[in-house]
Amino acid sequence: MLVRDAMTTLVLTIGPTHTLRQAACLMAGRRVGAAVVFDTDTSGLGILTERDVLNSVGCGQDPDRETAHAHTTTAVVFASPDWTLEEAAGAMTRGGFRHLIVLDDREPVGIVSVRDIVRCWTTARDAVPDPSRPGAVPV
């Protein structure tokens, strides 16, 4: 399976001046765990995740004063839609993160998360009968 098969194509994009509360509200409203941060001053892409928001609040910072810019990861590893899920999972494991921005022709076209990959692998595994599981019908 490829990243294009697993990625979420609804990409939440925010600006660097969004507060963490605004970002959290937008992420919660769209039920996503990450937002792409597009900085028009640098023309760069970064990522803000739910963990970034949690870490800030956990440190006692005010989510109404802290901006996305201050908490955005800019040293981003980007995935291609043509990567295998194994390649994406390997990049996440090596980098210690749970989301990859998917670029196609230098444009963000999706985000793939650990959850997306697990969902695809689980669905594929469940499609094959396992005779060792109760209720499974041997082929």
Side-chain angles (χ1 to χ4, degrees), residues 12 30 33 39 41 50 56 74 81 100 105 115 118:
L12 173 60
R30 299 224 181 138
D39 190 340
D41 291 337
E50 57 199 355
S56 173
T74 55
L100 288 169
D105 199 25
R115 180 177 296 170
V118 169

Side-chain angles (χ1 to χ4, degrees), residues 1-7 79-85 88 100 102 112:
M1 272 190 150
L2 301 177
V3 165
R4 76 173 72 255
D5 302 319
M7 70 184 191
S80 163
D82 297 324
W83 279 12
T84 66
L85 295 185
L100 288 169
V102 183
V112 65

Side-chain angles (χ1 to χ4, degrees), residues 1 3-9 85 111-126:
M1 272 190 150
V3 165
R4 76 173 72 255
D5 302 319
M7 70 184 191
T8 302
T9 56
L85 295 185
I111 292 184
V112 65
S113 69
V114 169
R115 180 177 296 170
D116 296 327
I117 293 171
V118 169
R119 178 182 38 80
C120 284
W121 283 344
T122 302
T123 301
R125 185 203 67 209
D126 289 346

Side-chain angles (χ1 to χ4, degrees), residues 11-64:
V11 179
L12 173 60
T13 304
I14 63 172
T17 60
H18 276 80
T19 66
L20 292 188
R21 183 177 307 280
Q22 290 169 325
C25 287
L26 290 168
M27 287 190 282
R30 299 224 181 138
R31 299 181 51 91
V32 295
V36 172
V37 181
F38 180 67
D39 190 340
T40 55
D41 291 337
T42 64
S43 297
L45 293 177
I47 190 165
L48 179 76
T49 68
E50 57 199 355
R51 181 172 290 172
D52 297 323
V53 175
L54 182 66
N55 286 340
S56 173
V57 172
C59 288
Q61 295 175 332
D62 183 349
D64 291 314

